[in-house]
Amino acid sequence: MSSGPLYLGFDLSTQQLKAIVIASDLVVISEAKVDFDADFGAKYGVRKGVRINEEEGEVFQPVAMWVEAVDLVLSRLRERGCPMGRIQGISGSGQQHSSVYWSGDAEAILKGLDPGRSLLEQLDARAFAFEFAPNWQDHSTQRECDDFDGHLGGPQKLADVSGSSAHHRFTGTQILRMRRRRPQVYDATARISLCSSFLASVFLGRIAPFDISDVTGMNLWDIGAETWNPALLALTAGGEEGGEAVAALRAKLGEVPTDGGVILGTVSPYFVERFGFSGTCRVTGFTGDNPATILSLPLRPLDAIVSLGTSSTFLMNTPNYRPDPSYHFMNHPTTRGHYMFMLCYKNGGLAREKVRDALPRPDESEKDPWATFNKAVLATPPLDSAPGDDSRPAKLGLYFPLPEIVPNVRAGTWRYTCDARDGSSLTEYPSPSPSSSSSPSSSQSWTPEADARIIVESQALSMRLRSQKLVSAIPAPGRPDLLLPAQPRRVYLVGGGSLNPAIARVFGDVLGGAEGVYRLDVGGNACALGGAYKALWACERSDSGQQQSFDELIGARWKEEGNVQKVDDGFRETEFGLYGGVLGAFEEMENRVLSVARN
């Protein structure tokens, strides 16, 4: 092991707290994690990391669980022999949109942390106005979403200003609901943190500001003006622009540095004394999990990242700001003037698991729980159809065990068929009841095996539909004279689902990828690794005095070998054309479902 400086990155996600330590050459030195279900499930009453109030649509996590996890993950790092004293910079990521409500005593408690006692003993109920943090899966804020969408003149106007139309999970709607639903909590709140800035605050020993990228997931920040939007603050605070209520809310939110690599200060003495950190170790701003993902590799324009975790996300780096209510634009976490295009879906891995669980279980000798699912996906032709055969129309479906964000519909499953050649004749597939004497003919039957392929296609089709304005015709690899249809240059898969070869094949069929589909091989640590890279960049550009860009500094050290693995060829002309032919039908299916099941 070299003797140079190390950098620590965190990822505080729905189900885990991960920590990863890298050297200046980007080599991983050590890592550790805390699994909320396995380590704290019984203590905090969480399942898949969360608690649910189904009656009100609330999904939340105990803040105390996060606090306790910090001490535990650092203890595990130290037990693995990580040289904590060589860590010179800390950053990380947190699940986007989630909010923490600090009490008026929080600053003093953070400043005076006693290294002889645990964080949990000190950051107790006195430090927080509310013991829970709303999770991104929360869907309790439809009234507030309607208010946000209407306040500036419609969803497009809101997207023009803030980068997104209103969404249940976005922090602005959550704060507004907190003020209405729990006014005593809102009044007792001195400062509000995002999940990312909460974690930064713990390490800094004082309340940390929001990150310039993560703040754009709140529906409160004016991206063009680079400041809080006064009209949206007035809506949230329940007062007039320029009035006392708005001033009070702005004080709760704080000011936001526009430099994504700003050094916030040195690590709290608590971590120096308790875990052996150097007193000169610096803390830079923590960002959201999605922005951190695009920092886990040098992402070129026209490259796409598909994150296949509990939720599914589609990410691109672009210099073009073209907001639309159907997707998100956020500030790039390190490159001013660039933006992160994002699609985010609640029904990602959990929805695929539900379809998987409806299939026969694999044989006991089979260790892969996805074996039967994968076999069904690969054995089923695209759209489970035969173009030109009227008895085998294309199958399209929406599978939402949770209320969905994109499109904004209630929980449910919908199945449709259409002509595989051009998407015409879109028809809702009948759901026969046990008492019905009629049922679809055997040639049109919709089996659980078909569902396995259709759900993966559905998730990829939604991404293709909404990203098509950001991609363009692209030269074929090795053939600059041959232009391929508009598609991403490369598709990078990350998250648990990236390990699944059947999912990789379908995403390549649907999305294309002129240079192929690649798995970002970081062991599920993309967000934590992005945080570690951010810490390295922020510290070493400061030390050098050269103010190198993130892409310059990290790109010069990042090696494709060992970090990415090609898992699919990507663009296949026949399949890509087939899915393109039904894209309009897919959009029409969504619109029909929206007309009857909008949230």
Side-chain angles (χ1 to χ4, degrees), residues 18 44 51 167 232 251 295 363 369 379 435 438 544 549:
K18 296 179 182 178
Y44 291 105
R51 292 169 64 173
H167 290 272
L232 295 173
L295 298 182
D363 294 337
S435 60
S438 62
S544 70
S549 72

Side-chain angles (χ1 to χ4, degrees), residues 128-148:
F128 303 103
F130 191 52
E131 62 182 311
F132 298 109
N135 178 262
W136 61 268
Q137 298 171 89
D138 186 281
H139 50 278
S140 65
T141 57
Q142 186 57 50
R143 174 191 171 194
E144 288 71 26
C145 285
D146 293 341
D147 291 340
F148 264 75

Side-chain angles (χ1 to χ4, degrees), residues 66-118:
W66 292 353
V67 170
E68 189 169 4
V70 172
D71 271 341
L72 183 55
V73 79
L74 291 176
S75 296
R76 289 176 175 173
L77 265 185
R78 186 170 56 184
E79 290 166 5
R80 286 166 169 75
C82 178
M84 312 290 273
R86 286 173 47 202
I87 295 172
Q88 289 300 303
I90 304 173
S91 187
S93 70
Q95 53 183 282
Q96 284 200 269
H97 320 297
S98 186
S99 47
V100 174
Y101 299 82
W102 297 97
S103 73
D105 296 328
E107 285 277 12
I109 294 172
L110 284 167
K111 184 177 180 180
L113 290 173
D114 178 359
R117 301 166 62 206
S118 71

